[in-house]
Each structure stands twice: as structure tokens, then as C-alpha cells.
Amino acid sequence: MVTNPGRSRAAKVRLLGLELDNLTNQQALDALSAMWADRHSHQVNFVNAHCANVAQEDPDYLRILRSGSLCLADGSGVRLGARLLGQNVVENVNGTDLFPGLCQRLSESGGSLGLLGAKPGIAGKVADWVRERHPGVRVVFVCDGYFQAMDEPSALRAIATSDCDVLLVAMGVPAQEKWLDRHRQNLNVGAGIAVGGLFDFYSGSIPRAPLWLRRLGMEWTYRLYQEPRRLWRRYVLGNFVFIAHVLRQRRRKG
Ligand code: UDP
């Protein structure tokens, strides 16, 4: 049986049919480190308000989030939603902020990293970022998320034989989680982590919000400012829809 290093230990935040592992960033890194001791292809997902909304409409995505090894609470929306339900999220844990710590842990253990996702050329720039700042990490696989550098069957074969401890998959929600779920039995990695826009940030293609805005839990406003046409529905409408879902759950409980 596959053990679940994160799930077995953590307290849970229960929200809209999801069970989020209520961990600090350090605890999340500990749980991740425990995963690459084996080759069980643990799946790790992050859930923000948008993800929770998508999961209400997509039972397969909801199932995947519920069945992964680790499901982490990402963003101020989820924190607010939990608070409305009388629960406390201990820390915002998202892939982008976790990434330097993850590379540090991999470097300390001589671990290896695979990068799958984003437009052609972007994952290669993330590999350069890793090699420059964390030379102890072996980057063993790099491919874009449109399979232009290599076709999907070749990519799957290359991952399986690459001795990859951690595979980051950045193809957007919910495609990346579904891709991992579909293929993880054959990936032969320690952990597959769905990371959304992480490659765009570390490649320098999309600037991140200033730290003060992130500390206020308002990074989404900066993303909205950068891509209003694509993201207004997700953030403006989506935040209202999320809170409406949460209040409905609260009424049902009360
Ligand atoms: N992406 C990809 N393949 C696809 C669609 C998207 O690799 O078929 C990439 C896209 O280039 C971006 C990443 O997925 O780098 C995340 O996209 P988005 O910002 O929509 O992420 P989300 O916020 O939905 O997680």
C-alpha cells in the first residue's frame, strides 16, 4: 500500500468537500522530503479559492484533490473561507513561495528535479534558475506543457527513466492535476506537484507582485492587473462565488 506522508500527520481544514492539510511551509517541506524517499509518485496539489470553485463543478477534479497525498491551502480566499466556517488555516502555502525551500531540501539530499509545463522555452529558463542558485539539484527532465519539445509518450518514457525525485507540472488548473492523476502510476517519481504559474514567475516571464502586497494576501489583485481580460472572471466573479459556496455550507451546518 502507498503510504501518505502528509495526510497521516496533519490536522485538516474541511471546506466545500475538500480536506486541506493544515501545514506551515516548513511542515509542508518536511512532508515533501519524506515523499522522495520512495518512488510512489505521490501527488501534491494546492487549493486556492478558484480551485475550490472549479472542484464544485468538476467531480473528477474534486476526487483528485481528495485522493492526493497532500492538499495544501493556498491563498487568502481559502483562509477567509475557513474562518467563516470556524477553522483556522495556519499558513498560506503555495508552490511559488515553497519552491526555493524545495530546491534547498533537494540540494541537501542530492535530489533531482523534473520540470514539465508552460510555453516552449520557459521550463528551460527555470532549469537555469535552479542550476545557478541551487547547483546541488540535478535537473533531470525539462519539457514544455504543450509537448512541442517532445511528444507526450516520449516525455512519459523520459520521466520514468530519469531518476526524478520531484516532478513539477505547470499546465494550469485543473489540467495539471488531471495529467498527474492520469499518468502518475507510470511516472516513477517521488512526488508530482501541480504548480500552476510557477514556471512563468521563475523564468522571469511574468513578474510577481511586490512582497508587501503578497504579505497582505492580495497577490491576486496584481495578477488581475497584469491579465484583466483572462482573470477578471476568476478573481472578481470567482471570489464572490467562492464566498457564496462557503456561506451555503455554513447554513447547512448551522
Ligand atoms: N499551460 C501549459 N499547457 C497547457 C495550458 C497551459 O503548459 O495546455 C501552462 C501555461 O503556459 C502557464 C501554466 O500552464 O505557464 C499555468 O497557467 P495558468 O496561469 O492558467 O495557471 P493556473 O492559475 O490556472 O494554475
Side-chain angles (χ1 to χ4, degrees), residues 48 50-51 116-120 122 143-147 169-177 194-201 206 223 227 230-231 234-235:
N48 59 26
H50 169 64
C51 303
L116 171 65
K119 294 191 179 120
I122 301 290
C143 180
D144 63 272
Y146 301 82
F147 299 104
V169 181
M171 297 176 173
V173 170
Q176 56 197 10
E177 289 82 5
V195 292
L198 184 152
F199 293 6
D200 295 323
F201 297 128
I206 297 182
R223 292 287 294 123
E227 293 184 77
R230 188 172 78 94
L231 296 177
R234 178 185 302 188
Y235 289 131

Side-chain angles (χ1 to χ4, degrees), residues 105-126:
R105 296 281 182 112
L106 280 171
S107 180
E108 285 162 5
S109 62
S112 59
L113 182 68
L115 302 168
L116 171 65
K119 294 191 179 120
I122 301 290
K125 288 188 183 159
V126 181

